[in-house]
Amino acid sequence: MNSPSSKGFHLAALILARGGSKGIPMKNLTDVAGKPLFVWVLQAAQDSKAFDSIWVSTDHKDIASVAKKHGAEIHIRSAEVSQDHSTSMESTLEFMSQHPEIDAIGLLQATTPCVQPGHLRTAAAMIRDHNYDSAFSVVRKHYFRWKERYSTDETTEPLNFDPRDRKRRQDWPGELCENGGFYFAKKHLLKEGVFQGGKMTYIEMGEEHSLDINSPFDLLLAEQVVKKYAYDSST
């Protein structure tokens, strides 16, 4: 079982794994490098030993069955929060309303299979031991960004660099961007309808661990990336 570091404080992992998906049918059960997609992050959560409980929230009996087989607790979500337009916050709030004993949530995205147990331990420690209200994952990007134009009459301009002084990749630190891997938040923030707020921090993940699978194109990349960089509890 897990070994939480703060007695009396319940930190739960929550993996949202709806059955419906427009981009990739039954995405969360899609085989990726030998495992259903959501199982990769589930096993990383289990082996992190960072959580008091680990839940999979789903509306689909086959996902529930696989999750239970792999040792997760199951939350059967209502039809109201299982629609294409339903948000992660709506599903999380429904879950929290049924589990008042939980003090904080680590929302883990099933579509980011290369998250490592160490990333989750670090985020949990920020919440438990360093009094942060929220913590989330980011990746460092080195993109030169430009202002969008909405007609051929408009001009554009750089947003984060000077074209007269273009830096080489190794000469500037880049920018931190959310990678969607996870969001940890205490209960009082969730009641306000936000995952980020209060005393905030981030956990930086490498590019190799930041794969986010949301389209058939992403699946083409996933097999080799996951084989090389995902956490595998069987090894």
Side-chain angles (χ1 to χ4, degrees):
M1 285 298 291
N2 302 304
S3 301
S5 59
S6 300
K7 292 181 179 180
F9 184 89
H10 190 127
L11 174 60
L14 180 63
I15 302 169
L16 303 180
R18 190 168 67 92
S21 174
K22 287 186 174 181
I24 305 172
M26 287 302 294
K27 173 175 61 180
N28 289 302
L29 282 181
T30 299
D31 184 282
V32 177
K35 297 179 185 179
L37 175 58
F38 80 92
V39 171
W40 288 101
V41 70
L42 169 59
Q43 292 183 336
Q46 291 168 330
D47 285 3
S48 75
K49 309 297 183 185
F51 301 100
D52 299 279
S53 60
I54 299 174
W55 296 80
V56 171
S57 173
T58 187
D59 62 335
H60 198 282
K61 61 180 180 62
D62 291 343
I63 294 176
S65 176
V66 172
K68 188 174 182 180
K69 175 184 175 182
H70 284 86
E73 298 186 68
I74 309 301
H75 169 250
I76 301 299
R77 67 169 80 174
S78 68
E80 287 74 19
V81 298
S82 300
Q83 307 302 311
D84 288 337
H85 57 77
S86 298
T87 67
S88 296
M89 179 56 71
E90 290 171 337
S91 300
T92 300
L93 289 176
E94 180 187 76
F95 171 80
M96 289 294 288
S97 72
Q98 298 176 24
H99 297 281
E101 75 280 5
I102 293 173
D103 299 295
I105 284 286
L107 180 70
L108 314 183
Q109 302 283 27
T111 54
T112 312
C114 296
V115 169
Q116 303 291 296
H119 297 139
L120 303 178
R121 282 193 293 270
T122 300
M126 294 296 108
I127 301 295
R128 290 185 187 277
D129 304 327
H130 298 282
N131 201 33
Y132 281 92
D133 298 303
S134 56
F136 52 93
S137 58
V138 300
V139 63
R140 192 172 298 274
K141 296 289 188 179
H142 293 78
Y143 291 152
F144 292 139
R145 295 186 293 108
W146 289 84
K147 177 184 176 183
E148 188 169 355
R149 62 176 176 80
Y150 297 95
S151 76
T152 55
D153 296 325
E154 292 183 71
T155 60
T156 188
E157 60 186 46
L159 295 176
N160 66 342
F161 75 105
D162 182 350
R164 294 166 297 185
D165 185 27
R166 291 175 67 98
K167 302 293 186 184
R168 298 181 305 165
R169 180 185 178 92
Q170 61 266 37
D171 292 335
W172 72 298
E175 297 179 323
L176 296 177
C177 305
E178 291 183 27
N179 68 357
F182 54 80
Y183 299 85
F184 284 58
K186 289 182 177 176
K187 182 189 295 188
H188 71 89
L189 283 180
L190 298 173
K191 287 182 177 180
E192 296 173 12
V194 294
F195 289 110
Q196 296 155 307
K199 184 181 177 183
M200 294 182 283
T201 190
Y202 62 82
I203 288 78
E204 185 173 348
M205 293 170 55
E207 189 86 37
E208 71 276 15
H209 294 131
S210 297
L211 175 68
D212 190 15
I213 301 175
N214 285 298
S215 71
F217 175 75
D218 297 331
L219 274 179
L220 292 176
L221 303 175
E223 191 78 9
Q224 294 304 315
V225 174
V226 169
K227 281 181 179 179
K228 187 168 183 180
Y229 294 113
Y231 172 75
D232 190 347
S233 62
S234 65
T235 58

